[in-house]
């Protein structure tokens, strides 16, 4: 069943029929019309990732825009932040067909209003619209009887996004660095190579794939870990870079082949950019607070709409420069930044390119290896993974065991289930899922995914080995919940 998740409409490809896509896109535009942000004759920019199902969903979206009197513009297959930047720059709605990091048998649509991402409060207005369709448009299975053909992509949207970073960082900012790009099936695979070359780096493309690879930056596969170690050693790389499928989540490995956690990358990016106020979800590494680098820190629920809402609060409170990031590494820029006479305009949506370029240039300007930046932070380590094909109802059933009215009983129940992992619970945080701070200071965080039937687990400890040990032990317990 297709439904709104943490960031847009998501569902199995089999559930995202042409008819389902068509009615939701029309409902989105009707909602924008109701709030004065869309009128007949307006442009609507469309783009997508490289999943096999994306062209069909784009075609159904195109038909819906035409049905609402709009003028669809095809930006092609490009990163989600590039598509969002196109809409923000021109003040028009933008639709990105992507399932982000989730498996290829799923997909979705990320909706952008003319002035920013769709917020959680907007979803009710969309779902309240009339979803009926005229007869004769679809087959009984929900396929369009006459699907439109997409035109050639308008390259200016992708070029504008590339120019944004070329101008801000400068053509020689990465000169002397030897960088690898793990291309797989990421939609930014060619853009990233071109951009790094534009900034002066020597670039080696690696691992291009014709099949879609569901790269989850918070649940790395063993082959991803092995690939990084082998690549940096074999090719003598200063760093290896890649993104998830739609390039709103970054991954960067240093010269040791160690993939950086996205939330640690976020801290170092915010520091290098001179942020005053930082917003991040509750699941992000607590090295953020321990480092004492920022005047104001705000914690939110997981999902970019919650981060954006808190960034808006920070801006209203006069706390600029304001930035945000998520545990997956996606970085959001809430206010303008200055660098060497160039201004980087806000882009309040998850972006993979900015954080990777920022830490690379920061290390080069200091004349140190990338790993040296990481070593400057307090030693606090996180690990995460998920159980796939785990129904949300089953997840909630077990989490409810720890969510009763009596907190002492909640802690006792948690201790009975997880006490052997790392000791007894000290306190519980229910901002998003169940985040338990243990007596020894370690953390176990359980949370059903908002985008797929998955139960996620995050752990945090004072050593990488302990965080990983806790994660595997907790997942083994959670696996028993399937019975």
């Amino acid at each position: 069943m297709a439904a709104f998740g943490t960031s847009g409409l998501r569902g199995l490809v089999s559930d995202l029929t042409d008819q389902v896509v068509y009615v939701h896109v029309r409902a989105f535009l009707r909602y924008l019309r109701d709030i004065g942000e869309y009128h007949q004759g307006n442009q609507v920019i469309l783009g997508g990732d490289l999943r096999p199902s994306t062209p069909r969903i784009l075609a159904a979206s195109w038909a819906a825009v035409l049905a609402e009197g709009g003028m669809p513009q095809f930006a092609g297959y490009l990163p989600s932040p590039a598509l969002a930047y196109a809409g923000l720059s021109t003040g028009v709605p933008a639709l990105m067909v992507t399932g982000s990091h989730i498996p290829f048998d799923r997909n979705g649509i990320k909706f952008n209003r003319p002035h920013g991402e769709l917020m959680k409060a907007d979803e009710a207005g969309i779902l309240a619209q009339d979803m009926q369709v005229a007869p004769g448009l679809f087959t009984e299975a929900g396929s369009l009887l006459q699907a439109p053909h997409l035109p050639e992509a308008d390259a200016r949207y992708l070029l504008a996004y590339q120019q944004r970073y070329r101008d801000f960082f400068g053509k020689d900012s990465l000169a002397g660095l030897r960088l690898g790009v793990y291309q797989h099936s990421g939609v930014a695979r060619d853009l990233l190579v071109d951009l790094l070359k534009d900034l002066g780096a020597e670039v080696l493309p690696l691992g291009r794939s014709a099949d879609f690879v569901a790269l989850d930056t918070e649940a790395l596969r063993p082959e991803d870990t092995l690939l990084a170690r082998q690549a940096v050693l074999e090719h003598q790389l200063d760093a290896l870079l890649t993104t998830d499928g739609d390039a709103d989540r970054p991954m960067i490995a240093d010269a040791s082949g160690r993939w950086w956690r996205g939330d640690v990358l976020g801290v170092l990016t915010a520091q290098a950019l001179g942020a005053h106020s930082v917003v991040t979800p509750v699941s992000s590494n607590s090295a953020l607070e321990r480092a004492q680098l920022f005047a104001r820190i705000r914690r939110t629920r997981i999902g970019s709409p919650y981060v954006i809402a808190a960034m808006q609060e920070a801006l209203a409170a006069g706390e600029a420069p304001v930035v945000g990031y998520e545990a997956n590494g996606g970085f959001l820029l809430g206010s303008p930044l200055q660098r060497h006479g160039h201004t980087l305009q806000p882009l309040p949506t998850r972006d993979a390119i900015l954080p990777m370029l920022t830490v690379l240039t920061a290390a080069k300007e200091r004349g140190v290896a990338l790993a040296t930046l990481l070593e400057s932070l307090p030693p606090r380590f996180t690990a995460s993974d998920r159980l796939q094909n785990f129904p949300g109802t089953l997840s909630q059933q077990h989490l409810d065991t720890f969510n009763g009215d009596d907190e002492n009983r909640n802690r006792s129940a948690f201790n009975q289930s997880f006490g052997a992992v790392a000791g007894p619970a000290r306190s519980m945080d229910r901002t998003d899922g169940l985040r338990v701070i243990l007596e020894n200071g370690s953390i176990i965080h359980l949370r059903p995914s908002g985008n797929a039937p998955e139960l996620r687990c995050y752990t945090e400890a004072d050593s990488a080995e302990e965080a990983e040990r806790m994660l595997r032990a907790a997942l083994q317990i959670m696996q028993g919940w399937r019975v």
Side-chain angles (χ1 to χ4, degrees), residues 37 86-93 114-115:
E37 294 186 0
L88 287 168
S89 300
T90 54
V92 302
H115 306 293

Side-chain angles (χ1 to χ4, degrees), residues 23 40 98 102 111 114 180 220 259 287 339-340 354 458 463 474 478:
V23 298
Q40 284 200 357
T98 179
I102 58 180
F111 298 96
L220 292 180
W259 289 116
R339 173 188 166 88
H340 305 325
L354 177 59
Y458 311 80
S463 74
M478 294 155 58

